[in-house]
Amino acid sequence: VAAGAWRVYAWAPVRYVPAKFDTFIERIEKNRWSMAGWIVSDDYSDRWGYDKASLIDSGRSAFRNFQWIEIRRGDEKWTFGKGTATVSVKLELHGEGNEIAAMARDTAATATEPFVFTFRKSSAMPWSWHLVSIDQPQLKIERGRSFGF
């Protein structure tokens, strides 16, 4: 009974999805894009025309130009619905690298409003939450180029 109660507690969306978001950000900071891809839904899409594969490939391409990177997060505002979870959070990209890294950092700095990350539960299993979209209306990214560069 105690083990069952612990699972219900640990896998409750209000705890599990924010932890999965933390893992996603940590994997990006470590440039572990293929592992970050495990969190991204196969039907991912966004305003810039990225799908799962192109998001992972473009992210890997842009972030490999950093010697180190840190993504600083502001206050997170979570909203939970039936099978959905959304977080609105301001992000700041910090790091050192070559000219492409500086361009990525400068492009990210234009986004002063929060990013919106949307997760959806894909099955009845409590761990089946995946990232289905990222949005930030101020961020200008040219599709087909790695995060605008």
Side-chain angles (χ1 to χ4, degrees):
V1 172
W6 172 250
R7 286 187 183 132
V8 168
Y9 173 81
W11 284 336
V14 296
R15 279 175 291 290
Y16 186 77
V17 182
K20 201 159 194 175
F21 179 64
D22 291 344
T23 300
F24 180 72
I25 297 296
E26 289 167 9
R27 288 176 179 175
I28 291 171
E29 288 177 323
K30 293 177 182 176
N31 205 13
R32 306 284 309 260
W33 282 89
S34 58
M35 291 184 71
W38 294 350
I39 295 170
V40 179
S41 174
D42 289 339
D43 64 347
Y44 175 91
S45 66
D46 60 35
R47 73 171 45 240
W48 307 286
Y50 287 100
D51 60 11
K52 178 179 180 173
S54 60
L55 175 74
I56 300 305
D57 289 343
S58 293
R60 181 182 293 122
S61 175
F63 282 63
R64 76 169 149 231
N65 295 288
F66 284 89
Q67 293 171 351
W68 65 270
I69 189 166
E70 178 186 3
I71 300 171
R72 295 184 188 157
R73 297 184 270 175
D75 292 333
E76 297 176 9
K77 294 177 181 68
W78 284 92
T79 305
F80 294 89
K82 186 173 172 74
T84 63
T86 303
V87 62
S88 176
V89 60
K90 288 186 181 182
L91 301 177
E92 292 180 9
L93 185 62
H94 296 270
E96 296 290 329
N98 63 22
E99 299 83 22
I100 295 174
M103 289 170 52
R105 196 178 51 239
D106 294 345
T107 299
T110 66
T112 58
E113 295 298 316
F115 283 75
V116 177
F117 293 80
T118 303
F119 290 82
R120 185 176 58 230
K121 191 172 182 189
S122 59
S123 76
M125 301 314 238
W127 54 81
S128 66
W129 290 90
H130 292 91
L131 180 65
V132 294
S133 72
I134 301 171
D135 194 20
Q136 208 303 330
Q138 295 174 306
L139 195 60
K140 306 298 180 212
I141 298 175
E142 293 180 42
R143 181 65 181 99
R145 299 175 71 196
S146 298
F147 291 101
F149 339 111

